Amino acid sequence: MNELIRMPDSAEKTQVPESRDVSQIYDTAAGDEIFALAAEIYPICRSITGNGVRETLRILGRYIDIDINEVPTGTEVYDWTIPPEWNIRNAYIKDARGHKVVDFADLNLHVMSYSVPIRKHVTLSELRSHIHSLPEQPDVIPYRTSYYSQDWGFCMAHRQVLSLRDETYEVMIDSTLDEGSLTYGEYLIKGETDEEFLLSAHICHPSLANDNCSGIALLTYLASRLSTIKTRYSYRFLFAPGTIGSIAWLALNEPTVKRIKHGLVLSMVGDGGGPTYKKSRQSDAKIDRAVSHVLRHSGLKPSILDFSPYGYDERQYCSPAFNLPVGLFQRSKFGAIPQYHTSADNLDFIRPEYLAQSYRLIASTLDAIENDVMYLNTNPKCEPQLGRRGLYAAIGGTQDVEASRMAMLWVLNLSDGIHSLLDIAERAELPFAAIRCAADLLRQSGLLIDPIC
Amino acid sequence: MNELIRMPDSAEKTQVPESRDVSQIYDTAAGDEIFALAAEIYPICRSITGNGVRETLRILGRYIDIDINEVPTGTEVYDWTIPPEWNIRNAYIKDARGHKVVDFADLNLHVMSYSVPIRKHVTLSELRSHIHSLPEQPDVIPYRTSYYSQDWGFCMAHRQVLSLRDETYEVMIDSTLDEGSLTYGEYLIKGETDEEFLLSAHICHPSLANDNCSGIALLTYLASRLSTIKTRYSYRFLFAPGTIGSIAWLALNEPTVKRIKHGLVLSMVGDGGGPTYKKSRQSDAKIDRAVSHVLRHSGLKPSILDFSPYGYDERQYCSPAFNLPVGLFQRSKFGAIPQYHTSADNLDFIRPEYLAQSYRLIASTLDAIENDVMYLNTNPKCEPQLGRRGLYAAIGGTQDVEASRMAMLWVLNLSDGIHSLLDIAERAELPFAAIRCAADLLRQSGLLIDPIC
Amino acid sequence: MNELIRMPDSAEKTQVPESRDVSQIYDTAAGDEIFALAAEIYPICRSITGNGVRETLRILGRYIDIDINEVPTGTEVYDWTIPPEWNIRNAYIKDARGHKVVDFADLNLHVMSYSVPIRKHVTLSELRSHIHSLPEQPDVIPYRTSYYSQDWGFCMAHRQVLSLRDETYEVMIDSTLDEGSLTYGEYLIKGETDEEFLLSAHICHPSLANDNCSGIALLTYLASRLSTIKTRYSYRFLFAPGTIGSIAWLALNEPTVKRIKHGLVLSMVGDGGGPTYKKSRQSDAKIDRAVSHVLRHSGLKPSILDFSPYGYDERQYCSPAFNLPVGLFQRSKFGAIPQYHTSADNLDFIRPEYLAQSYRLIASTLDAIENDVMYLNTNPKCEPQLGRRGLYAAIGGTQDVEASRMAMLWVLNLSDGIHSLLDIAERAELPFAAIRCAADLLRQSGLLIDPIC
């Protein structure tokens, strides 16, 4: 007989805590709200530093009480140094007749990010050596950066490049690269414990809707909704420039890092692909199991990928000295779609319904993590008689009754002080929500109790 | 070099025990004998209590010296209470002309089990509210019970229900629900040790041939044959009503429960489907490995299923405080065939050849469990020279020689004090019987000894 | 944070050892050289004892300074006894007209190995009882032996057997079975450590090109090339008769056996099948992982087989008291091809290009084992900035840059004091050579150091 199961004396019985029902934040308006916010920040010219990031964070501040942090140029953060701050007011290429061939004001992707200021007349030949285009996708404009080498460049549709006449052009980039700072935003929801769940989105890309206006907007909306309910974990939302931003945050917040128990990086959450989850370096962390479980029961066709050291900021969170349980959630996998890092990643590429779907998947994951507790069956010898407690028909609908009964039988059978609700959901191959609901019913009937802590 | 292998001094050498050859009970008459017994008990109206169970056990008593146990109505057994005893003498529905529309005497399935006594005239409308039928299988009569709510009912072919005219009917059920007891039968074969192997069949279903006249009959025959040979384990055969019966037995026999080392629940063992094995909650208990191994080498197409808390009495044996290594053996999986819990589960649905097959699979499983011992290769450095001991041709036939040699090489290679014969059979992917036979030959040649206990 | 990673003080830092680049021995001439040697030893009549083995070893001695060992007839080696030495000068069958039907001088396979001397006239009927042929492969001559029972025999194409007329034949075998010895060859390359890598080929088959002139020749060439470079391990090459030879070696060299850390048996390495690797009994030894890894990245279609106690001398190395990490490398699996143990296993059956391929696969395996070290990332918090160290373009070609960067990211991410380079290559699913190359670049940049020993 299983000696692990010791029933507490009734005097020892601890109070049954309330289930933390994150599903309360499911919201039919979510898709439209997230889309609207993504659309609002889409036109802003962001980079790894500069006013575009500040303006974006100011807009997010309308939804959540976000902290703005500035890290001065030259600050050393592990192996890296915060670069000069880049800002840009205007840029264009004019042809011999003074006609603007490309104009930054039309689309900020036209200028390579971190381009040094320039104003001169150049031959077509010299101009072309500074133009980036995609011969295989001749109608879209690529996104390019030059953060760590001094250079300038324009990005154009290849079809337009081919149409340029052999004449003299005026190139003008009115940018500045000065002492300044790198800016990131942070928002903390205090939970019952100091243990933290990190949610992180990169905020350094200019007009790319999916990558990552979608992630920024979803996290902001999630933060505003999550702040209205009680949670076990504290939730830290980080909006920081990719790579250098998360490196700076880690370097400046090591004590906080130790409190992170679960985490997700979000990017490209608004297209109809995937969903895709790349596991943390730990590979079987609770976050890995929870996301995988939620995605497998999503009715979609998820891809669950092993960790690799290439991707988004999970690269830094999962570097060997941190090895944090932080995975990457996306819809389409980065780099695997033609829109990736081009002007085709615009507001037509993301949709409210996909944003709503992603939002719900993330919320369901949080629900599983928040409620992944371990109960004890108070009646561990044989099954209790569910019928006389009215538990057979506790939920309406024949199929629901059947599913609810199976969920109750699984919870009873595995609530042995060894298996948590997520363990049970995995083994039962039932949605976590069904298991949690069954556990709630059984607790109310006194058939489950919290184990002695 | 493997320090785990220490050869005993010759003085320490223990006597090589005889192989316990359960295959002695393989029997060409088994199929017919089991079928005849199943056919004999098929007509009896069994329920979870009452004289039908007693009459059935009395018939089994012709084969084995079965103990009859009575648990009085009202006895508390864990979360349950033994219900009143139900008996039935007669029942019918008569139409307006006094013609019997259904008659209990024709088929006991016609009356819902545990129907309260009734005798009155009813309209067709009221009658239909008490009739159970299967619109999707209009020619068969379903099996229904109402153990824990006071109700009455008839079961009919749906085609017949549709033909009922709108007139007044007389319904009569001559049943009793009184203080009495729940009855179960138990039979113990004492082995060399007190460690027990539990074999359990539910005995509460009326005229359903496969579910479970087949299981009752097979276990009875097995018990009678097994009692004729020497075994290491003691074998406990339990014939009890489903759910409440096994719960009662567990509640009243906790000291015995601790001795159970392996167990099987048998139901529906006479049809041509499967074989199906549902693993114990432990999932890798020796019984799980032994049955899986035997089924994989059966030449049939077995389904090996993970444990789930829905099914037969393994639900109780595998409840968390017991967590016994008890699996479920069936042919077709319960609920997965149209005959399940209908009048189509009659004597035409089961066949002597399938009963014989099931019998042999169970006996082979017992053989593997009985003989799953661990030997030491007395010659662990390099292979011994089999040829000069005449072991190459120890078994006739070229293919047999080849198979026997492979079995001997595997046994020699893995008899290192870590691997048991079942471990070896699994790794070699050879039938357990071949491995046991090879081990017997090698022991006779002195190439294997028992390890020091 | 990962407490396992402790950075050494600079004073503690150990010298970075040179990478041991076994790929230096890759060699475009290898295929032709190995083939030429195999062809030279092909005609010799070898058996488990006798002058054929000595002559073969003498030829190998032209390439490597091989030690010749003689084990006298009658020596007990574990369960076995060294048999009398067999030598043969001549043999034939003559028909009634004195015409030689078969002649040992044409092909040594014509005489069953270990045939006792005979000279007499026999009827066709008696002759046929001593003739071995293959009715299903009527044009090839089988290879047969009779080591441990006194007998004589001839091997012939079945078509020729059928054409024999019913007349008297003269059979003559001029062989000797006398006190003598069993001969084996051994060659040791001393490495930086006394830990040994055993490479073993059987040397007892007569004119069978693939089985095992190919293995003997490959190992000899490998030994001669490997002796020119620095290695961590000492390499022991063993050329011994199958079964009795390896048993004798193990029995006479137990202290050496304890030093063996990795090992491979090679046979049939010259045909175009496979490659095939049969794992050691340990099943996940480093040799098993290294060969599997190399084969999976070979561009060929390898078969990776679980250990079984049937095959070549790995049977003895993997007997339970030794349980050495020794696997079997082959091209086609033994017994799985029609040429196996017939005259069709001749010099047409093996090819320089396949020998070269096999040679390279073995050398790549040695490279992985030699260089499977564990490094520490000196910058374990976040990624180091590869760009400013010029590491992004350290290797030419766009695809190479990409692959090299992924390899560097993997090495940095997993060089945590837990994962060795082979672990990293496996998890990254990148060729070991790419991982080793990335590690070399990172060491040169100071981004990796050796852990404190």
Side-chain angles (χ1 to χ4, degrees):
Chain A
M1 235 154 301
N2 195 332
E3 298 296 333
L4 286 162
I5 298 181
R6 186 173 69 87
M7 286 297 113
D9 299 337
S10 58
E12 293 181 300
K13 279 184 190 170
T14 56
Q15 192 71 27
V16 176
E18 288 301 302
S19 162
R20 301 164 197 90
D21 187 1
V22 181
S23 72
Q24 292 170 60
I25 71 166
Y26 297 166
D27 187 343
T28 55
D32 292 327
E33 297 256 6
I34 296 166
F35 185 87
L37 178 53
E40 184 177 357
I41 62 177
Y42 172 73
I44 300 169
C45 181
R46 283 166 294 269
S47 183
I48 53 171
T49 60
N51 292 323
V53 173
R54 289 187 194 98
E55 187 182 344
T56 303
L57 293 173
R58 189 185 51 72
I59 293 171
L60 307 189
R62 291 209 317 266
Y63 294 79
I64 50 176
D65 186 19
I66 202 165
D67 277 337
I68 312 291
N69 298 270
E70 301 282 353
V71 188
T73 298
T75 308
E76 297 204 349
V77 287
Y78 300 135
D79 195 50
W80 303 63
T81 305
I82 302 298
E85 181 175 324
W86 184 69
N87 283 293
I88 180 165
R89 276 178 293 263
N90 195 10
Y92 57 75
I93 305 171
K94 281 186 184 164
D95 65 15
R97 287 158 304 152
H99 180 75
K100 282 188 181 166
V101 174
V102 299
D103 189 343
F104 171 75
D106 292 340
L107 183 67
N108 54 40
L109 295 179
H110 277 310
V111 178
M112 181 168 75
S113 193
Y114 262 70
S115 281
V116 296
I118 192 93
R119 178 160 206 159
K120 68 171 173 176
H121 287 79
V122 295
T123 61
L124 174 61
S125 169
E126 182 178 355
L127 176 63
R128 289 184 76 154
S129 73
H130 286 272
I131 288 180
H132 303 272
S133 67
L134 298 168
E136 282 154 29
Q137 293 175 269
D139 295 314
V140 301
I141 299 149
Y143 161 58
R144 288 287 182 276
T145 68
S146 180
Y147 299 141
Y148 299 103
S149 65
Q150 296 235 335
D151 199 359
W152 61 270
F154 286 90
C155 300
M156 288 170 66
H158 194 66
R159 206 176 297 282
Q160 191 186 12
V161 175
L162 295 177
S163 72
L164 293 177
R165 279 175 303 183
D166 191 0
E167 57 189 34
T168 300
Y169 291 86
E170 180 192 354
V171 294
M172 194 285 282
I173 298 178
D174 179 11
S175 66
T176 55
L177 266 167
D178 295 318
E179 292 280 308
S181 58
L182 172 147
T183 312
Y184 68 83
E186 209 173 357
Y187 176 63
L188 181 70
I189 300 173
K190 286 261 185 196
E192 292 163 26
T193 71
D194 283 341
E195 295 188 335
E196 294 196 5
F197 195 128
L198 175 70
L199 290 146
S200 173
H202 66 280
I203 198 169
C204 51
H205 287 187
S207 291
L208 297 171
N210 202 30
D211 183 15
N212 195 20
C213 296
S214 69
I216 297 166
L218 191 153
L219 275 199
T220 303
Y221 189 75
L222 177 68
S224 76
R225 299 289 284 117
L226 202 60
S227 65
T228 66
I229 66 168
K230 288 187 74 167
T231 58
R232 174 169 28 158
Y233 291 102
S234 295
Y235 285 82
R236 184 173 298 274
F237 293 79
L238 183 60
F239 303 90
T243 305
I244 185 70
S246 56
I247 291 172
W249 183 82
L250 285 162
L252 300 172
N253 293 277
E254 285 200 2
T256 298
V257 171
K258 294 183 183 183
R259 293 202 295 270
I260 297 173
K261 300 303 170 197
H262 319 284
L264 283 174
V265 171
L266 264 73
S267 78
M268 294 174 54
V269 298
D271 69 291
T276 303
Y277 179 65
K278 189 181 93 174
K279 292 183 188 178
S280 79
R281 183 179 184 273
Q282 295 182 22
S283 88
D284 60 350
K286 189 174 285 189
I287 186 67
D288 299 319
R289 294 172 49 213
V291 181
S292 300
H293 177 79
V294 165
L295 296 196
R296 274 197 291 268
H297 288 275
S298 65
L300 304 170
K301 292 184 177 160
S303 300
I304 314 284
L305 309 174
D306 283 331
F307 175 76
S308 99
Y310 193 68
Y312 289 90
D313 286 326
E314 72 281 0
R315 292 162 68 160
Q316 312 310 327
Y317 304 131
C318 296
S319 57
F322 296 119
N323 195 24
L324 294 175
V326 176
L328 169 65
F329 176 86
Q330 305 193 282
R331 300 304 300 258
S332 291
K333 193 191 165 192
F334 67 90
I337 46 169
Q339 295 86 351
Y340 182 71
H341 278 194
T342 75
S343 57
D345 181 359
N346 56 34
L347 291 173
D348 292 336
F349 184 50
I350 64 172
R351 297 246 189 99
E353 70 249 42
Y354 300 136
L355 290 163
Q357 228 171 33
S358 298
Y359 175 73
R360 195 176 169 115
L361 293 170
I362 298 301
S364 297
T365 299
L366 268 45
D367 190 60
I369 300 255
E370 280 285 325
N371 292 292
D372 182 30
V373 288
M374 208 176 270
Y375 292 113
L376 275 184
N377 178 340
T378 56
N379 207 74
K381 293 178 177 176
C382 299
E383 292 173 5
Q385 200 179 356
L386 297 178
R388 67 173 167 89
R389 293 179 175 86
L391 288 173
Y392 264 146
I395 297 171
T398 313
Q399 276 198 313
D400 283 352
V401 168
E402 188 65 26
S404 165
R405 184 169 59 173
M406 278 309 295
M408 281 189 280
L409 291 175
W410 273 111
V411 171
L412 287 168
N413 190 269
L414 291 178
S415 287
D416 54 3
I418 299 168
H419 297 89
S420 73
L421 293 189
L422 181 57
D423 295 333
I424 298 172
E426 287 180 331
R427 185 151 169 193
E429 296 182 358
L430 290 172
F432 183 84
I435 292 295
R436 177 164 68 74
C437 178
D440 286 346
L441 287 171
L442 293 167
R443 279 194 312 162
Q444 287 158 22
S445 294
L447 290 171
L448 288 186
I449 53 165
D450 281 326
I452 310 147
C453 296
Chain B
M1 234 155 301
N2 196 334
E3 298 295 334
L4 286 162
I5 299 179
R6 187 173 72 87
M7 287 295 114
D9 298 338
S10 59
E12 291 180 301
K13 279 184 192 171
T14 56
Q15 192 69 27
V16 176
E18 287 302 301
S19 163
R20 299 163 198 90
D21 187 1
V22 181
S23 71
Q24 293 170 58
I25 70 166
Y26 297 165
D27 187 343
T28 54
D32 291 327
E33 297 257 6
I34 296 167
F35 184 87
L37 178 53
E40 183 176 0
I41 63 177
Y42 171 74
I44 300 169
C45 182
R46 283 165 295 268
S47 184
I48 53 173
T49 60
N51 292 322
V53 172
R54 289 186 195 100
E55 187 181 345
T56 304
L57 293 173
R58 189 186 51 73
I59 293 171
L60 307 189
R62 292 208 318 263
Y63 295 79
I64 50 177
D65 186 19
I66 202 164
D67 276 337
I68 312 290
N69 299 269
E70 301 283 353
V71 188
T73 297
T75 307
E76 298 205 347
V77 287
Y78 300 134
D79 195 49
W80 303 64
T81 305
I82 302 298
E85 182 175 324
W86 184 70
N87 282 293
I88 182 166
R89 278 178 293 263
N90 194 10
Y92 56 76
I93 304 170
K94 281 186 184 165
D95 63 17
R97 289 158 304 154
H99 181 74
K100 281 187 181 166
V101 174
V102 298
D103 189 343
F104 172 76
D106 292 341
L107 183 66
N108 54 41
L109 295 179
H110 276 311
V111 178
M112 182 167 74
S113 193
Y114 262 69
S115 282
V116 296
I118 192 91
R119 177 159 208 160
K120 68 171 172 176
H121 287 79
V122 295
T123 62
L124 174 60
S125 170
E126 182 178 354
L127 176 63
R128 289 184 75 156
S129 73
H130 285 272
I131 289 181
H132 302 273
S133 68
L134 297 168
E136 282 154 29
Q137 292 175 270
D139 295 314
V140 303
I141 299 148
Y143 161 58
R144 289 288 181 275
T145 68
S146 181
Y147 299 140
Y148 299 103
S149 64
Q150 295 236 334
D151 199 359
W152 62 269
F154 286 90
C155 301
M156 288 169 65
H158 194 66
R159 205 177 297 282
Q160 191 186 14
V161 176
L162 295 177
S163 73
L164 293 176
R165 279 174 302 182
D166 190 1
E167 58 189 33
T168 300
Y169 292 86
E170 180 192 355
V171 294
M172 195 284 283
I173 299 178
D174 179 11
S175 66
T176 55
L177 267 167
D178 295 319
E179 293 281 309
S181 58
L182 173 147
T183 312
Y184 68 82
E186 210 174 354
Y187 177 63
L188 180 70
I189 301 173
K190 285 263 185 195
E192 292 163 26
T193 71
D194 283 341
E195 297 188 333
E196 293 196 4
F197 194 128
L198 175 70
L199 290 146
S200 174
H202 65 281
I203 198 169
C204 52
H205 286 187
S207 291
L208 297 172
N210 203 28
D211 184 14
N212 195 22
C213 296
S214 69
I216 296 165
L218 190 153
L219 277 199
T220 304
Y221 189 76
L222 177 67
S224 76
R225 298 289 283 116
L226 202 59
S227 66
T228 65
I229 66 167
K230 286 186 75 168
T231 58
R232 172 166 34 154
Y233 290 102
S234 296
Y235 286 81
R236 184 173 299 273
F237 294 79
L238 182 60
F239 303 90
T243 305
I244 184 70
S246 56
I247 291 171
W249 183 81
L250 285 162
L252 301 172
N253 292 278
E254 285 200 3
T256 298
V257 171
K258 296 185 184 182
R259 294 202 293 270
I260 297 173
K261 300 305 171 197
H262 319 284
L264 282 175
V265 171
L266 264 73
S267 78
M268 293 174 55
V269 299
D271 69 290
T276 302
Y277 179 65
K278 189 181 92 174
K279 292 182 187 177
S280 78
R281 183 179 183 273
Q282 297 182 22
S283 88
D284 60 350
K286 189 174 284 189
I287 186 67
D288 300 319
R289 294 172 49 213
V291 180
S292 300
H293 177 81
V294 165
L295 295 196
R296 275 197 291 269
H297 289 275
S298 65
L300 304 170
K301 292 183 178 161
S303 299
I304 313 284
L305 308 175
D306 284 331
F307 175 76
S308 99
Y310 193 68
Y312 289 91
D313 287 325
E314 72 283 359
R315 292 162 68 161
Q316 313 311 328
Y317 303 130
C318 296
S319 57
F322 296 120
N323 195 24
L324 294 174
V326 175
L328 169 67
F329 176 87
Q330 305 194 283
R331 299 305 299 258
S332 292
K333 193 192 165 193
F334 66 92
I337 46 170
Q339 295 85 350
Y340 182 71
H341 278 194
T342 75
S343 57
D345 181 0
N346 56 34
L347 291 171
D348 291 335
F349 185 50
I350 64 173
R351 297 245 189 99
E353 70 249 43
Y354 301 136
L355 290 162
Q357 228 171 32
S358 298
Y359 175 74
R360 194 177 169 114
L361 293 170
I362 299 299
S364 297
T365 299
L366 269 45
D367 190 60
I369 300 255
E370 280 283 326
N371 292 292
D372 182 31
V373 288
M374 206 177 274
Y375 293 112
L376 275 183
N377 178 339
T378 56
N379 207 75
K381 295 178 177 177
C382 300
E383 292 172 5
Q385 199 178 357
L386 296 179
R388 67 174 165 86
R389 293 179 174 86
L391 289 173
Y392 265 145
I395 297 172
T398 312
Q399 278 197 311
D400 284 350
V401 167
E402 188 68 25
S404 165
R405 184 169 57 170
M406 278 309 295
M408 282 190 279
L409 290 176
W410 273 111
V411 171
L412 287 168
N413 190 271
L414 292 178
S415 287
D416 54 4
I418 298 169
H419 296 90
S420 73
L421 293 189
L422 181 56
D423 296 332
I424 298 172
E426 287 180 330
R427 185 154 170 190
E429 296 180 359
L430 291 172
F432 183 85
I435 292 294
R436 177 165 68 75
C437 178
D440 286 347
L441 287 171
L442 293 167
R443 279 194 313 163
Q444 287 158 19
S445 293
L447 290 173
L448 288 185
I449 53 165
D450 281 325
I452 310 147
C453 297
Chain C
M1 232 155 303
N2 196 331
E3 298 296 334
L4 286 161
I5 298 180
R6 186 173 72 87
M7 286 297 113
D9 300 337
S10 59
E12 292 181 301
K13 279 185 193 169
T14 55
Q15 193 70 28
V16 177
E18 288 301 302
S19 163
R20 300 164 197 90
D21 187 0
V22 181
S23 71
Q24 293 171 57
I25 70 167
Y26 296 166
D27 187 343
T28 54
D32 291 327
E33 297 257 6
I34 297 167
F35 184 87
L37 177 54
E40 183 176 0
I41 63 177
Y42 171 75
I44 300 168
C45 181
R46 282 167 294 270
S47 184
I48 52 172
T49 59
N51 292 323
V53 172
R54 289 187 195 98
E55 186 182 345
T56 303
L57 293 173
R58 189 186 52 72
I59 293 171
L60 307 189
R62 291 208 317 263
Y63 294 80
I64 49 177
D65 187 19
I66 202 165
D67 276 338
I68 312 291
N69 298 270
E70 302 281 353
V71 187
T73 297
T75 307
E76 297 205 347
V77 286
Y78 301 134
D79 195 51
W80 302 64
T81 305
I82 302 297
E85 181 175 326
W86 184 69
N87 283 293
I88 180 165
R89 278 177 293 262
N90 194 8
Y92 56 76
I93 304 172
K94 282 186 183 164
D95 63 16
R97 289 156 305 151
H99 180 74
K100 282 188 182 168
V101 174
V102 299
D103 189 343
F104 171 76
D106 292 339
L107 182 68
N108 52 42
L109 296 178
H110 276 310
V111 178
M112 181 168 76
S113 193
Y114 261 70
S115 280
V116 297
I118 192 93
R119 179 161 206 156
K120 68 172 174 176
H121 287 79
V122 294
T123 63
L124 175 60
S125 170
E126 182 178 355
L127 176 62
R128 288 183 76 154
S129 73
H130 286 271
I131 289 181
H132 302 272
S133 66
L134 297 169
E136 282 153 30
Q137 292 175 270
D139 295 314
V140 301
I141 298 147
Y143 161 59
R144 289 287 181 275
T145 69
S146 181
Y147 299 140
Y148 300 102
S149 64
Q150 297 236 335
D151 199 358
W152 62 270
F154 286 89
C155 300
M156 286 170 66
H158 194 66
R159 205 177 296 281
Q160 191 185 14
V161 176
L162 295 177
S163 72
L164 293 176
R165 280 176 301 187
D166 191 1
E167 57 189 36
T168 299
Y169 292 87
E170 180 191 355
V171 293
M172 193 285 282
I173 299 178
D174 179 11
S175 66
T176 55
L177 266 166
D178 294 318
E179 292 281 308
S181 57
L182 172 147
T183 312
Y184 67 83
E186 209 173 357
Y187 176 64
L188 181 69
I189 301 174
K190 284 263 186 196
E192 292 163 25
T193 71
D194 283 341
E195 296 187 336
E196 293 196 4
F197 194 127
L198 175 70
L199 290 146
S200 172
H202 65 279
I203 198 167
C204 52
H205 287 186
S207 291
L208 297 171
N210 202 28
D211 183 14
N212 195 24
C213 296
S214 68
I216 297 165
L218 191 154
L219 276 198
T220 304
Y221 189 76
L222 176 68
S224 76
R225 299 289 283 118
L226 201 61
S227 66
T228 65
I229 66 168
K230 286 186 75 168
T231 57
R232 171 164 38 153
Y233 291 102
S234 295
Y235 286 81
R236 184 173 300 273
F237 293 80
L238 182 60
F239 303 89
T243 305
I244 185 69
S246 56
I247 291 172
W249 183 81
L250 285 162
L252 300 172
N253 291 276
E254 285 200 4
T256 299
V257 170
K258 294 185 184 185
R259 293 202 295 269
I260 296 173
K261 300 303 170 197
H262 319 284
L264 283 174
V265 170
L266 264 73
S267 79
M268 293 174 56
V269 298
D271 69 291
T276 302
Y277 180 66
K278 190 181 93 174
K279 292 182 187 178
S280 79
R281 184 180 183 274
Q282 297 182 22
S283 87
D284 61 350
K286 189 173 284 188
I287 186 67
D288 299 319
R289 294 173 49 214
V291 180
S292 300
H293 177 80
V294 165
L295 295 196
R296 274 197 292 270
H297 289 275
S298 67
L300 303 170
K301 292 185 177 160
S303 299
I304 314 285
L305 308 175
D306 284 331
F307 175 77
S308 99
Y310 192 67
Y312 288 91
D313 287 325
E314 71 282 358
R315 293 162 68 160
Q316 312 310 329
Y317 303 131
C318 296
S319 57
F322 296 119
N323 195 23
L324 294 175
V326 175
L328 168 66
F329 176 87
Q330 304 194 282
R331 299 304 300 258
S332 292
K333 192 191 165 192
F334 66 90
I337 46 170
Q339 294 86 350
Y340 182 71
H341 278 194
T342 74
S343 57
D345 181 359
N346 57 34
L347 291 172
D348 293 334
F349 185 50
I350 64 173
R351 297 248 190 97
E353 69 250 42
Y354 301 136
L355 291 163
Q357 228 171 33
S358 298
Y359 175 73
R360 193 176 170 116
L361 292 170
I362 299 300
S364 297
T365 299
L366 269 45
D367 190 59
I369 300 254
E370 280 283 325
N371 292 292
D372 183 31
V373 288
M374 207 178 273
Y375 292 113
L376 274 183
N377 178 339
T378 55
N379 207 76
K381 295 178 177 177
C382 300
E383 291 173 4
Q385 199 178 356
L386 297 179
R388 68 174 165 88
R389 293 181 174 85
L391 288 173
Y392 264 144
I395 297 171
T398 312
Q399 278 198 312
D400 283 351
V401 168
E402 187 67 25
S404 165
R405 184 169 59 171
M406 278 310 295
M408 281 190 280
L409 290 176
W410 273 112
V411 171
L412 287 168
N413 190 270
L414 292 178
S415 286
D416 55 2
I418 299 169
H419 297 89
S420 73
L421 292 189
L422 181 57
D423 295 333
I424 298 173
E426 286 179 330
R427 186 154 169 190
E429 296 181 358
L430 290 172
F432 183 85
I435 292 295
R436 177 164 68 74
C437 177
D440 287 347
L441 287 171
L442 292 167
R443 278 194 313 163
Q444 287 158 20
S445 294
L447 290 172
L448 288 185
I449 54 165
D450 280 326
I452 311 147
C453 296

